[in-house]
Each structure stands twice: as structure tokens, then as C-alpha cells.
Amino acid sequence: MKAVRFDEYGGVGVLKVVDVPRPVPGAGQVLVQVKAAGINPDEAKIRVGLEDSTWPATFPSGEGSDLAGIVAETGPEVTSFSAGD
């Protein structure tokens, strides 16, 4: 799997696409196969450090939480979604 990550505060130049292990959904969670993702303005503010006093980044940190995709797997206790949704 791939993820967009950054290891320090800065502009778009600190972003890199890296390989990450495939997550396993926990109780009440779903794993989504992402088809499209975007970086919203609040994520950009966090990345450059403008929200450090309220939302400090922990490194490595990721971006792209606005997404669309298909449910690949569901964790325990998930009843509203199924693989393929």
C-alpha cells in the first residue's frame, strides 16, 4: 500500500509517497481501497505548522483524509457496511 507522508513541517516539498503495511480494521472500523484522495486546507495548515499549538503533527504524519473508495474489509462489530460497498 502507498501513503502520503511527511517527516517535518513544510510546504508540499516535504510530502512523499511511501510504502506502508496494509492496515487491519479493528472493532467498528472499515478498510477502504482508496480510489481518490485530496489534501484539505486544514491538513495543509497542519503540515506547514500553522496549527501546531492546537493540532501538532506526530512524525511521520500523513495527509489525504478526504477520500472516496470501496470498502475492502470490515472489522468486528461493523454492521452498516460490507466489502464492496
Side-chain angles (χ1 to χ4, degrees):
M1 293 185 63
K2 303 283 186 188
V4 175
R5 294 270 174 94
F6 61 102
D7 295 319
E8 61 185 317
Y9 290 119
V12 294
V14 300
L15 296 174
K16 53 189 164 187
V17 178
V18 297
D19 291 313
V20 295
R22 184 179 191 270
V24 176
Q29 297 178 330
V30 298
L31 178 64
V32 176
Q33 180 185 8
V34 176
K35 297 295 185 176
I39 297 171
N40 68 50
D42 289 330
E43 288 177 316
K45 288 177 185 176
I46 292 169
R47 184 190 68 243
V48 298
L50 294 176
E51 300 292 331
D52 191 49
S53 62
T54 307
W55 298 102
T58 55
F59 302 114
S61 194
E63 292 201 332
S65 61
D66 290 349
L67 60 91
I70 299 168
V71 175
E73 184 181 345
T74 60
E77 302 173 19
V78 174
T79 58
S80 299
F81 298 97
S82 299
D85 286 351

